[in-house]
């Protein structure tokens, strides 16, 4: 499953448009967005993180899940 709006018609693009009206590609998602994209709860996402199956980037104040990490997790196919 693709997480980019061009490849996933179910993904909302409203958040991806800057003030200029130019669509931008988000490189990372919040925990809530990641859980929604995976079809799981944020609690389950936290548990997967605790087990080391998916890891957020903590370069910012709140953890963000890089799209590449989400795609790697999906490709691994283990829950």
């Amino acid at each position: 499953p693709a997480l980019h709006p061009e490849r996933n018609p179910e993904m909302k693009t409203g958040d991806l448009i800057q003030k200029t009206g130019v669509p931008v590609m988000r490189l990372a998602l919040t925990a809530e967005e990641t859980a929604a994209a995976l079809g799981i709860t944020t609690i389950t996402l936290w548990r997967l993180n605790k087990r080391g199956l998916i890891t957020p980037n903590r370069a910012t104040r709140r953890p963000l899940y890089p799209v590449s990490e989400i795609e790697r997790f999906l490709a691994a196919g283990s829950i």
Side-chain angles (χ1 to χ4, degrees):
L3 298 176
H4 297 290
E6 301 85 45
R7 293 181 267 167
N8 186 350
E10 296 176 8
M11 187 174 181
K12 296 179 183 177
T13 58
D15 299 11
L16 304 178
I17 299 177
Q18 295 178 338
K19 291 180 182 179
T20 60
V22 177
V24 294
M25 202 58 96
R26 292 193 46 203
L27 300 176
L29 305 176
T30 65
E32 293 79 14
E33 292 167 334
T34 301
L38 294 173
I40 59 176
T41 66
T42 53
I43 299 290
T44 300
L45 180 62
W46 177 80
R47 289 177 181 147
L48 293 170
N49 179 20
K50 191 171 180 176
R51 290 172 51 195
L53 297 176
I54 188 166
T55 307
N57 182 312
R58 297 189 185 274
T60 60
R61 201 175 280 229
R62 64 180 173 177
L64 294 175
Y65 291 83
V67 171
S68 59
E69 174 66 7
I70 298 166
E71 290 173 340
R72 184 210 53 81
F73 168 75
L74 291 172
S78 62
I79 290 186

